Amino acid sequence: MADDGGYLLDNQQAEAGVRFDALATLFNPSTFRHIDALGVAPGWRCWEVGAGGPSVPSWLAERVGPTGHVLATDLDVSWMAPDADYEVRCHDVGADPPPGDGFDLVHARLVLVHVPQRAAALAAMVSALRPGGWLLLEEADPMMQPLVCPDESGPAQRLANKLKRDFRTLMAQRGVDLSYGRTLPRLLREAGLVDVEADAFFPVGGPACALLEQATVRQIRDRLIAAGLATDEEIDQHLNNIATGLLDLATSPMISAWGRRPA
């Protein structure tokens, strides 16, 4: 049975800003490469779903210029400035009607896997596209590559992987589909989109991976302990191991899939 304890990585927590910055460092280059390849240009109307922080909508606003429009939505919009050069709106993509239509681009990264009404959210995003408009979805697939330390060479790496398994246990209890990323191409085709393609990307090592892991572990620490999955000592040891800089920490593969609404 799914745990109803809420979203594990609450944007209200202090570590959320660190996570947003690390995710931007790790994945914005791949995201921006995909959007550029789709032809984003001045005058485009874009909907950034579950934006979280400002990095993607700010970049989009620069690309579409003053003749375009970028709408950034999220359940929690506190990390985006109300006077930004894009529109900010509180919105639940799984429950609320689409906040408009005729978008040239709809983009969501690390959003749908956390939405209980995933099918409704996907349908809403497709319906918001103009004929010929593009939908770009990016979701992690933790079960495709489940290790935070793929080179499990010693006790520090084994502990890291053990805590990652514990984290995914909590996610699964909350209804997160840990294999969702790989389904995106099929889901886009089934939604009626054409020219569907996909690829995958994941970093292995580097400061941003370490920052992301530290912030994530600190956010879920109390929940891991309360569930009896980990101890204070294990978590302290893992955080100390990260601080040494000797762990090659990886992310889950990020699956990017895109498709076009028929003209």
Side-chain angles (χ1 to χ4, degrees):
M1 179 179 294
D3 188 319
D4 63 356
Y7 183 36
L8 285 170
L9 302 172
D10 187 348
N11 288 355
Q12 292 293 327
Q13 293 174 277
E15 295 85 0
V18 177
R19 291 189 70 257
F20 287 152
D21 289 344
L23 289 169
T25 299
L26 291 168
F27 295 113
N28 277 4
S30 176
T31 293
F32 297 163
R33 172 174 59 84
H34 285 108
I35 295 175
D36 273 334
L38 296 179
V40 64
W44 273 35
R45 298 183 68 246
C46 304
W47 176 19
E48 179 65 20
V49 184
S55 65
V56 176
S58 294
W59 181 89
L60 280 172
E62 290 183 3
R63 281 293 196 274
V64 305
T67 60
H69 180 73
V70 175
L71 172 62
T73 64
D74 207 321
L75 286 172
D76 178 356
V77 299
S78 60
W79 293 94
M80 294 180 285
D83 59 349
D85 52 356
Y86 51 87
E87 181 184 356
V88 177
R89 192 180 306 180
C90 187
H91 179 265
D92 184 343
V93 68
D96 298 334
D101 56 19
F103 289 103
D104 300 284
L105 171 71
V106 176
H107 172 246
R109 185 175 73 193
L110 297 174
V111 173
L112 284 180
V113 73
H114 299 291
V115 175
Q117 307 89 357
R118 283 187 280 271
L122 177 57
M125 287 188 275
V126 171
S127 72
L129 293 169
R130 68 162 176 82
W134 289 95
L135 175 60
L136 171 62
L137 298 180
E138 300 185 290
E139 293 290 347
D141 193 313
M143 298 310 294
M144 185 175 288
Q145 192 294 104
L147 303 178
V148 70
C149 286
D151 179 22
E152 195 175 77
S153 56
Q157 290 78 12
R158 286 192 290 274
L159 174 60
N161 288 335
K162 183 262 183 191
L163 292 175
K164 186 61 67 174
R165 287 192 298 273
D166 295 338
F167 175 36
R168 288 172 181 151
T169 296
L170 291 180
M171 293 173 71
Q173 289 173 350
R174 283 161 173 76
V176 175
D177 183 349
L178 299 174
S179 301
Y180 187 67
R182 71 192 70 180
T183 71
L184 293 179
R186 171 175 56 81
L187 293 176
L188 294 187
R189 288 194 304 272
E190 290 176 350
L193 301 187
V194 298
D195 299 331
V196 173
E197 297 184 55
D199 64 14
F201 168 75
F202 72 101
V204 180
C209 284
L211 286 172
L212 180 62
E213 177 69 4
Q214 287 171 322
T216 301
V217 169
R218 288 183 175 124
Q219 277 194 277
I220 63 170
R221 176 183 192 126
D222 291 345
R223 300 210 189 225
L224 286 173
I225 294 170
L229 294 169
T231 66
D232 266 320
E233 292 75 19
E234 286 177 321
I235 293 171
D236 286 340
Q237 183 62 60
H238 178 50
L239 291 172
N240 288 336
N241 291 340
I242 297 172
T244 68
L246 298 179
L247 294 179
D248 294 311
L249 297 164
T251 69
S252 299
M254 182 77 76
I255 310 296
S256 300
W258 55 96
R260 180 175 57 83
R261 184 173 179 179

